[in-house]
Amino acid sequence: MARLKAKYKSFMNVAEEHGFISPLVHVGQFKEECELLLPKSVMDFTTKEEFSVENLAKELDVDEATVKELEEVCSPSSLVCPREGEVLVWDDANCIPKDTGLITLSHRRKNLVEKVLKPSKKSRLLHCKYTEMDCALLARTHGIPAKDDKDQVTCPEIVITVSVSFPRDERRYKACCSDIYVLGSQKLTELRDKIPCVLDHQPLGNFTENPDLPRDICLKDICTSSFFCFENTFFNDLRNPSSVDLSKDIIEWAKTNETAVPDNAQVASMDECTFNDLRIRLGCPYVFLHQGDCEHQIHFKDIRLFNGTDCQSRSAYPITVSKAHLKGQTCKVCNFHQATWYTRYDSLADTDPAFFCEFCFKLLHYDKSGNKLGEFTAFPYIPAFALNY
């Protein structure tokens, strides 16, 4: 046990020295220090000051001529290249000169040539292990006004970027599922309710015998127990009276199996703690566990002050700003429609599991009277891209 703890401590020290993770940060203390350093006028965005060269020159402590020069140099029009208007098709390899001497452009030209020679080749973007920027989701966070005065985010406020991974799966190449903005004054339960997972939305019922059963009850309604683990503290979700303390069994198991669980491990309620109460490390992997053994990695990517371009409506947070671009499963029979069912141990299919659309599933597995044909176990298929982000 002592050897494992020493190894863990050494790993954390090396990660911090190389900048992979940040030192320990108390979110509430970070907010207090920002209040001491910055005047209230800077942090209050309810009263907006109109832009003028005079005001900007005063803010930057320079003369107005310098501000006008900066405005010309930093103008979006200065980003336009001379030949930009002549190029009509940006995916044409002939638009890129061969002798630029730039490695990025040479690789871009090579990829475009291969794309023409092998049209069936998939885009490299789909195989990127990082989360691609979703401009539509990011734009949704800007310019959302508050519904009323009570819904207005009160300044000063902290905005934390939380990265949520897919459930642990060795075959999955993407590490991140979505990035979420949360406010420092929000409770941990609000983030828990926002985390997308197909297992939470899996309907309950014997759909094998009757595929038309209602889907109003999901696993999330029955198995409500879950917890976050941040810096040696387990935060349990005990809002439902039927919820159990999952951390208790984990701590007891770890003590008897020589697992590196700290001696000072604490237990708290998720509903009684806000993000301002947390002590976290940016970049350090933490854990969210639900549905018994469905484990997600949680990373805190950024912590900053709320600003005027953020969503002003408090009720909109937590708000998703990016998500992984995923493809759904197509039907095994028609190979055209998106799958809505999957089967296990199916005597009518040559793969396990097998995916089917609504029409093909019923046509293949049931007769005209609705009687089951063959041996199989059927489940509704919930694709990850269809979740409410």
Side-chain angles (χ1 to χ4, degrees):
M1 180 70 73
R3 183 176 59 84
L4 287 174
K5 291 181 179 180
K7 186 176 181 180
Y8 173 78
K9 186 176 181 180
S10 174
F11 169 78
M12 295 295 289
N13 291 336
V14 172
E16 188 174 333
E17 289 176 3
H18 287 77
F20 298 131
I21 62 175
S22 74
L24 206 59
V25 178
H26 189 284
V27 179
Q29 185 178 354
F30 173 80
K31 176 184 175 182
E32 293 174 359
E33 292 179 355
C34 290
E35 290 184 69
L36 294 175
L37 292 174
L38 299 174
K40 292 184 179 180
S41 58
V42 175
M43 296 184 288
D44 186 9
F45 299 98
T46 56
T47 57
K48 296 183 179 180
E49 185 178 1
E50 293 185 2
F51 171 78
S52 66
V53 175
E54 183 180 356
N55 292 337
L56 186 58
K58 184 179 178 180
E59 187 71 25
L60 297 176
D61 194 20
V62 295
D63 53 37
E64 295 184 11
T66 304
V67 173
K68 292 181 180 179
E69 183 181 356
L70 284 172
E71 189 176 5
E72 293 178 2
V73 173
C74 301
S75 172
S77 60
S78 63
L79 300 176
V80 180
C81 299
R83 289 192 58 219
E84 191 168 332
E86 302 176 9
V87 180
L88 299 178
V89 182
W90 290 99
D91 289 338
D92 187 2
N94 296 323
C95 295
I96 304 176
K98 296 181 179 180
D99 54 351
T100 59
L102 300 176
I103 297 177
T104 303
L105 287 181
S106 63
H107 282 293
R108 170 69 175 167
R109 180 182 174 84
K110 180 182 178 181
N111 292 338
L112 290 175
V113 172
E114 291 180 355
K115 187 177 179 180
V116 174
L117 297 177
K118 301 177 181 179
S120 61
K121 188 175 182 180
K122 293 183 178 180
S123 171
R124 291 181 183 271
L125 187 60
L126 295 175
H127 294 281
C128 178
K129 67 178 180 179
Y130 303 104
T131 301
E132 301 87 3
M133 181 178 292
D134 194 315
C135 296
L137 278 177
L138 193 59
R140 193 180 68 178
T141 65
H142 300 301
I144 300 180
K147 299 176 182 178
D148 48 41
D149 293 340
K150 294 182 179 179
D151 192 43
Q152 175 68 44
V153 177
T154 305
C155 296
E157 183 60 274
I158 297 298
V159 179
I160 306 173
T161 306
V162 184
S163 176
V164 182
S165 75
F166 288 99
R168 184 182 292 271
D169 187 352
E170 296 179 355
R171 297 174 298 174
R172 193 180 296 278
Y173 58 86
K174 285 183 183 293
C176 178
C177 173
S178 59
D179 290 338
I180 303 173
Y181 283 170
V182 295
L183 301 177
S185 57
Q186 289 187 303
K187 295 182 178 180
L188 300 185
T189 50
E190 297 182 66
L191 174 62
R192 186 264 172 271
D193 294 336
K194 187 66 177 180
I195 292 178
C197 182
V198 294
L199 199 58
D200 275 340
H201 299 275
Q202 187 65 38
L204 294 178
N206 185 8
F207 295 96
T208 305
E209 300 296 335
N210 184 9
D212 297 323
L213 281 177
R215 305 185 183 184
D216 52 346
I217 301 179
C218 301
L219 275 175
K220 189 176 182 180
D221 303 323
I222 305 299
C223 304
T224 58
S225 303
S226 62
F227 70 77
F228 290 108
C229 184
F230 301 140
E231 293 297 328
N232 306 340
T233 303
F234 293 90
F235 297 92
N236 290 286
D237 184 5
L238 302 175
R239 290 173 292 175
N240 194 306
S242 63
S243 298
V244 297
D245 187 350
L246 297 177
S247 62
K248 182 179 179 180
D249 295 333
I250 293 178
I251 294 174
E252 292 179 355
W253 173 86
K255 289 179 179 178
T256 58
N257 287 269
E258 297 186 356
T259 304
V261 171
D263 297 329
N264 60 342
Q266 301 177 0
V267 178
S269 176
M270 199 184 295
D271 191 40
E272 298 175 357
C273 181
T274 65
F275 286 93
N276 285 332
D277 302 326
L278 296 181
R279 298 172 64 88
I280 57 175
R281 299 176 187 269
L282 300 182
C284 184
Y286 298 110
V287 175
F288 169 66
L289 186 76
H290 68 130
Q291 300 301 336
D293 61 351
C294 185
E295 182 179 323
H296 300 254
Q297 269 195 8
I298 303 291
H299 292 80
F300 294 98
K301 298 175 67 174
D302 186 30
I303 175 173
R304 60 177 175 82
L305 280 175
F306 178 85
N307 60 57
T309 61
D310 287 317
C311 169
Q312 304 294 311
S313 175
R314 182 181 181 82
S315 60
Y317 290 90
I319 187 168
T320 305
V321 294
S322 69
K323 64 178 182 179
H325 293 178
L326 300 171
K327 283 188 174 182
Q329 292 283 350
T330 55
C331 175
K332 181 175 178 60
V333 177
C334 65
N335 199 29
F336 181 77
H337 295 291
Q338 291 287 343
T340 56
W341 292 89
Y342 75 96
T343 60
R344 297 299 308 272
Y345 318 111
D346 194 342
S347 61
L348 302 176
D350 57 353
T351 59
D352 186 26
F355 296 87
F356 304 93
C357 66
E358 186 77 19
F359 179 77
C360 295
F361 170 72
K362 293 183 177 180
L363 191 65
L364 179 63
H365 294 88
Y366 301 92
D367 59 18
K368 293 182 179 181
S369 302
N371 299 317
K372 176 183 172 184
L373 302 175
E375 293 297 327
F376 63 91
T377 304
F379 304 93
Y381 175 62
I382 309 297
F385 70 84
L387 297 179
N388 184 18
Y389 289 88

